[in-house]
Amino acid sequence: MDRFEPNLRIPGPTALPPSVREAGARQMINHRGPEFAAMLERVISGMKPFFGTTSDVTVLSCAGTGGLEAAIVNMLSPGDRVLGVSIGAFGDRFAKIAGVYGADVTKIEVEWGRAADPAAVREALAAQPGYKAVLLTHNETSTGVMNPIPVLAAAVRDVAPETFILVDAVSSLGAVPFEMDAWGIDVVVTGSQKAWMAAPGLAMVAASPRAWAAMESARMPRFYLDLRAHRDAAANGQTPFTPAIAVVYQVDEGLRLMAAEGAASVYARHEACAAAARTGLQALGFELFADERYASRTVTAARLPEGHDWKAFNGAIKAHGVVLAGGQGKLAGRIFRLGHLGSVTVEEVLGVIAVLETVALEGGRPMTPGSAVGAAWAAAVEALGLASAASTGAGVPA
Ligand code: PLP
């Protein structure tokens, strides 16, 4: 392992824990044999609580976008009316895939940085009844906004109970609580390189019982991504095509680590890292891009001040071993993003804030070293519920 490997803080692919890396280096096995069958079963059953479902979950060997494409082609027929609720680049992509396959897509385009408004979704569905599906993004990675999925889903269910709800949870599932069954969601998609602490290469897609039923009559063309084939093969411990075995090893190990930590602790860690990122960036003088009420718990986007050149800024940060992400699409050069999902600790986020302090000092900006780090640390401690313990002295070993 490289002693000075970078602090990779982009919103996926995420850094891999050592045991996950080692898992990926293991010898191949027969993907039609019992060892693979046992592993696939572990991965699927280990994922289900994170989806919040008891329904079937499939494991596809493809990027997250392949999972989105699977959601579209398995659920819809050409000409179906679809409401694409887009709050950023990935919402645009989901709607675009539906259009490419011949769906009749109406878009609600929300100003980037904001969450979708349940009232607007309700209104759109009521104004033109008969939508086959609504496309929602849980965590819009391009803007750092996390949509209130339960509220949006309840609005859809209320106005248009027959309309399917398809959710892109690529960059959120596994990092924050999700209750697919309880919220009445039909298809949920996630990707191995995000909260699951594994390399890119797998998309996991869950579908509700009524979604599985709808796939029997949906007419969009599909072969590799036919979810029924993946479900049926999984029932025999297999995948229909050769899977990305090394990534399955990694997701298996990632899930083992997540189970050992406990889901509640995984979620609390993400909450604390997000609190540290937001507070630290603000203490450094950056304005956060997302509406604070819907700030993502897996990625924080901050505005680049006027005249701040991203390339030069990024170069200075990288020189200290920290890798952040720039803005996507129309936000290129206007924001930067700090990813805090999957294998991430509060201390790693504090490390980013410390480097940003150093870069500010190098640039001649007056700054008290440690001030932003201290603010970020305090926010994390507060998020973890440790602030009161610290002030009362509770928890200090005798
Ligand atoms: N949806 C969201 C919300 C994402 O963050 C991403 C990737 O960053 C994707 C979809 C696409 O995933 P992939 O790049 O694996 O195709």
Side-chain angles (χ1 to χ4, degrees), residues 71-84 95 97-106 129-135 162-164 166 214-215 217-220 222:
I72 297 293
V73 299
N74 282 277
M75 294 299 295
L76 300 171
S77 300
D80 276 350
R81 285 181 42 236
V82 169
L83 185 64
I97 297 168
V100 163
Y101 278 97
D104 176 5
V105 182
T106 302
Y131 280 107
K132 188 81 176 177
V134 174
L135 313 182
E162 305 297 316
T163 302
F164 295 115
L166 316 185
M215 289 179 211
S217 53
R219 285 182 287 101
M220 279 187 183
R222 55 196 192 269

Side-chain angles (χ1 to χ4, degrees), residues 64-395:
T65 304
L68 298 182
E69 189 156 328
I72 297 293
V73 299
N74 282 277
M75 294 299 295
L76 300 171
S77 300
D80 276 350
R81 285 181 42 236
V82 169
L83 185 64
V85 182
S86 176
I87 65 167
F90 291 105
D92 283 352
R93 183 180 298 181
F94 208 1
K96 189 171 182 178
I97 297 168
V100 163
Y101 278 97
D104 176 5
V105 182
T106 302
K107 267 174 90 177
I108 293 182
E109 302 214 39
V110 178
E111 186 191 340
W112 288 25
R114 302 199 155 272
D117 175 8
V121 172
R122 208 176 260 278
E123 208 171 287
L125 291 170
Q128 286 182 300
Y131 280 107
K132 188 81 176 177
V134 174
L135 313 182
L136 298 173
T137 313
H138 185 204
N139 186 65
E140 181 48 78
T141 321
S142 66
T143 61
V145 171
M146 200 167 263
N147 262 326
I149 291 294
V151 184
L152 291 165
V156 177
R157 279 277 170 275
D158 188 30
V159 187
E162 305 297 316
T163 302
F164 295 115
I165 304 174
L166 316 185
V167 176
D168 171 350
V170 169
S171 63
S172 51
L173 208 76
V176 300
F178 201 95
E179 294 295 340
M180 173 178 167
D181 293 353
W183 299 342
I185 293 165
D186 293 293
V187 180
V188 179
V189 179
T190 186
S192 55
Q193 78 275 28
K194 306 288 187 180
W196 311 103
M197 306 189 284
L202 296 181
M204 281 65 67
V205 184
S208 67
R210 73 173 194 168
W212 284 111
M215 289 179 211
E216 299 300 330
S217 53
R219 285 182 287 101
M220 279 187 183
R222 55 196 192 269
F223 179 77
Y224 183 73
L225 297 175
D226 190 330
L227 291 177
R228 295 167 303 173
H230 291 270
R231 175 200 57 193
D232 296 346
N236 293 317
Q238 296 190 13
T239 51
F241 317 107
T242 313
I245 293 172
V247 190
V248 184
Y249 288 153
Q250 292 191 330
V251 171
D252 187 30
E253 173 60 13
L255 282 167
R256 193 189 67 75
L257 294 175
M258 289 165 82
E261 185 179 358
S265 300
V266 170
Y267 301 151
R269 176 167 52 80
H270 281 85
E271 188 102 44
C273 287
R278 286 177 212 139
T279 304
L281 290 172
Q282 283 178 302
L284 284 156
F286 292 107
E287 190 190 335
L288 301 186
F289 186 70
D291 177 342
E292 65 182 31
R293 293 169 302 167
Y294 301 103
S296 166
R297 273 164 279 157
T298 58
V299 55
T300 298
R303 289 181 196 276
L304 281 164
E306 207 59 48
H308 223 75
D309 176 51
W310 164 244
K311 278 206 174 119
F313 182 48
N314 191 28
I317 298 165
K318 278 205 311 220
H320 291 283
V322 166
V323 183
L324 300 180
Q328 278 175 290
K330 63 186 177 192
L331 293 178
R334 292 177 49 207
I335 64 164
F336 66 96
R337 294 170 299 149
L338 194 175
H340 34 81
L341 75 167
S343 174
V344 60
T345 61
V346 166
E347 291 71 24
E348 282 165 332
V349 174
L350 297 181
V352 173
I353 303 300
V355 162
L356 292 175
E357 283 191 2
T358 304
V359 168
L361 290 166
E362 285 170 346
R365 263 186 58 207
M367 133 95 48
T368 309
S371 57
V373 172
W377 196 353
V381 163
E382 167 117 33
L384 288 168
L386 299 174
S388 53
S391 62
T392 61

